[in-house]
Amino acid sequence: MLDDFTHHRPESPALTRDDPMAMPLTYPGLLPPGPGVLSGRQFLPLTGRDGGWHVEGSPLDAWLAARGEAPMRARHAVVAVGSNAAPAQLHRKFTRHRVPAVVPLTRVRVHGLAPGVSAHISRYGYIPAAPVAAPGVSELFVSWVDDRQLAALDRTEPNYRRRVLDPGAHPVSFDGPADPLEGPADPLEGPAGPLEEAGAVPCHVYDGLHGCLADEAGRPVRLAPQRRLIGALLGASAELARVCGGTPEEFVVRVRDPRVRDTAQRLLRRGRRVTGPAARAAA
């Protein structure tokens, strides 16, 4: 799934500067080329060594402690199907809510789940992602957030409900060190997959409250770059194009008007079947 979108080198200023709220046609944002730590306006690469993650030559927990930040075992794993994988979007969200923008991001493989298209339009002008049930395995990012960051993320997601993925329905395996939480002495130490299947690392996901767009056959529409996605929707509906303009650029400008956005959402939902929430939660 990651290969559908643009990646930049870790030192690229755009990686932590150009967020989808400011540049809606970039949604879901510029994704990292690999695991790393968002630290303010920097994105620092993570390397796996000696059974744990290292950053700038130090074990990740020691690096976090030196900055007064929560260790990995005090953090929550949030699987990102949309812009929460983009360092610039996370930076904007956290700084807006006055919490530290220091967040490790690593890769995971999730079975039976993929980024779909939520049946609503963001007030910033993009059509965001939401998880959908799908065969196969998706390679996604997971952000490791502390309690304050998790509360801030919740406040930025009024169109979603955070759930814990059912590891039986959606097994998750982590890329990187054997223990994603850097606990070599942990009794559950072992390959990343069995650790997750044992419930050692609950994974959260934001499930869309509006359902997801589906095609004529009822299959969930998969997330695509915004220009392609919006262009296809405009091309399929003359009425939508009349309301929102004939190009993605016109669309993102016009739908910032709440009245236009409401009309456009009704047209999207009327013109296509809408699936219900797809990410299954643990009981």
Side-chain angles (χ1 to χ4, degrees):
M1 296 303 169
L2 297 176
D3 292 338
D4 289 339
F5 303 101
T6 304
H7 303 94
H8 278 241
R9 293 170 60 84
E11 62 269 29
S12 170
L15 192 61
T16 55
R17 184 192 66 222
D18 297 337
D19 62 84
M21 292 181 191
M23 304 176 67
L25 288 178
T26 69
Y27 184 90
L30 302 179
L31 305 185
V37 182
L38 171 64
S39 179
R41 285 291 188 186
Q42 293 182 294
F43 189 77
L44 307 171
L46 278 172
T47 58
R49 192 171 76 247
D50 302 326
W53 288 114
H54 285 65
V55 58
E56 294 189 315
S58 298
L60 179 54
D61 267 355
W63 186 92
L64 291 167
R67 288 152 183 80
E69 303 295 339
M72 289 292 282
R73 289 196 177 275
R75 292 177 176 265
H76 309 274
V78 180
V79 175
V81 297
S83 65
N84 285 340
Q89 190 86 320
L90 291 174
H91 180 271
R92 179 182 279 258
K93 288 184 174 188
F94 292 140
T95 54
R96 175 177 286 182
H97 287 87
R98 300 182 180 180
V99 298
V102 178
V103 187
L105 287 95
T106 62
R107 281 177 168 166
V108 291
R109 293 178 300 282
V110 185
H111 294 253
L113 196 74
V117 179
S118 181
H120 84 284
I121 302 168
S122 161
R123 63 191 176 100
Y124 301 102
Y126 54 75
I127 304 176
V132 293
V137 180
S138 294
E139 185 182 347
L140 301 168
F141 276 99
V142 59
S143 55
W144 296 87
V145 296
D146 64 21
D147 292 341
R148 292 175 62 199
Q149 291 166 341
L150 186 63
L153 277 185
D154 286 348
R155 291 194 293 272
T156 70
E157 302 290 2
N159 295 293
Y160 297 80
R161 175 189 239 173
R162 178 167 50 84
R163 301 173 182 255
V164 176
L165 282 174
D166 178 354
H170 302 294
V172 178
S173 55
F174 293 84
D175 284 352
D179 187 341
L181 300 183
E182 292 195 299
D186 191 288
L188 291 175
E189 180 184 3
L195 271 173
E196 173 54 27
E197 290 167 12
V201 186
C203 287
H204 300 252
V205 71
Y206 284 98
D207 202 7
L209 296 178
H210 300 279
C212 294
L213 297 182
D215 63 17
E216 293 78 5
R219 296 173 300 228
V221 174
R222 296 294 187 95
L223 185 65
Q226 285 289 292
R227 280 191 175 84
R228 188 195 311 165
L229 173 64
I230 295 172
L233 294 171
L234 292 173
S237 171
E239 194 171 2
L240 183 67
R242 178 183 60 79
V243 171
C244 298
T247 67
E249 289 77 12
E250 289 179 284
F251 179 95
V252 299
V253 171
R254 293 194 188 184
V255 298
R256 289 173 187 164
D257 181 327
R259 294 170 298 180
V260 174
R261 188 164 63 250
D262 287 346
T263 300
Q265 288 177 154
R266 287 196 298 271
L267 290 171
L268 284 177
R269 295 167 187 170
R270 188 182 71 191
R272 289 170 172 264
R273 290 186 57 185
V274 177
T275 67
R280 295 176 58 185

